[in-house]
Amino acid sequence: MLTKIHSSIMPFTAIRSFDSYIPASMLMQRLEEEGIKVYLQDEHTVTLSPMFSNAIGGIKLMVLDDQLERATELIKKYEQDYHVAGACPKCGSLKVQYITLQNTTNWIVGIISWLFSNYAVSVKQVYHCYECNYEFENLPENS
Ligand SMILES: [Zn+2]
């Protein structure tokens, strides 16, 4: 059994870990906007030497213990927004995601447009089926 730290240092728990700085800081920003106390641990190590990322477990997003539950719910919500609950009109698979069509190397743009979905991002987005690779712009109407 671990002894709880009772000093003035507030207890934080790692809620997620990331391989790179940008998605980590994006998520941190979104949680901060919700009034969650968060910070990134090991961001400098990972940013300066990505090779170390795996060894130290990536950049850790630390959340104040008291807010862990709420933060978990928020992240779950963001992830649900991202993973579209739609079915492929061609094969019926549920492995459909709303993705950003950009020179696919640029995954960062995808994450940015996901996180800032309220902002105008001028990129083309489509639904992509990971089962049959079919792509479509609109989900079929629920008739
Ligand atoms: Zn499909």
Side-chain angles (χ1 to χ4, degrees):
M1 196 59 191
L2 290 169
T3 316
K4 273 272 174 193
I5 299 165
H6 59 83
S7 68
S8 57
I9 299 166
M10 291 183 287
F12 280 81
T13 302
I15 194 168
R16 279 284 188 288
S17 66
F18 299 86
D19 289 334
S20 53
Y21 176 72
I22 290 177
S25 65
M26 294 277 169
L27 187 55
M28 179 176 77
Q29 221 171 351
R30 267 190 99 155
L31 290 174
E32 274 178 341
E33 280 167 13
E34 298 286 339
I36 308 274
K37 281 201 176 355
V38 286
Y39 74 92
L40 296 177
Q41 189 164 294
D42 296 327
E43 57 173 302
H44 301 298
T45 320
V46 174
T47 306
L48 293 177
S49 47
M51 299 302 283
F52 275 119
S53 174
N54 287 335
I56 61 170
I59 298 171
K60 286 176 277 299
L61 182 63
M62 308 299 289
V63 174
L64 184 66
D65 266 5
D66 288 352
Q67 296 175 315
L68 196 58
E69 208 173 312
R70 180 160 157 68
T72 308
E73 271 172 27
L74 285 168
I75 291 177
K76 216 189 284 176
K77 209 182 96 196
Y78 300 153
E79 287 176 349
Q80 275 169 358
D81 286 349
Y82 187 51
H83 297 282
V84 177
C88 172
K90 209 172 177 187
C91 72
S93 167
L94 291 176
K95 286 190 206 163
V96 172
Q97 262 191 27
Y98 201 41
I99 59 162
T100 301
L101 281 191
Q102 265 269 336
N103 310 320
T104 48
T105 49
N106 203 350
W107 57 271
I108 289 169
V109 173
I111 287 168
I112 291 171
S113 54
W114 161 51
L115 288 167
F116 294 100
S117 50
N118 295 332
Y119 299 75
V121 180
S122 58
V123 286
K124 186 175 162 61
Q125 292 188 298
V126 294
Y127 294 98
H128 178 90
C129 173
Y130 284 89
E131 198 65 47
C132 68
N133 289 324
Y134 184 61
E135 284 181 344
F136 46 106
E137 282 182 40
N138 298 300
L139 282 175
E141 298 280 331
N142 293 325
S143 52

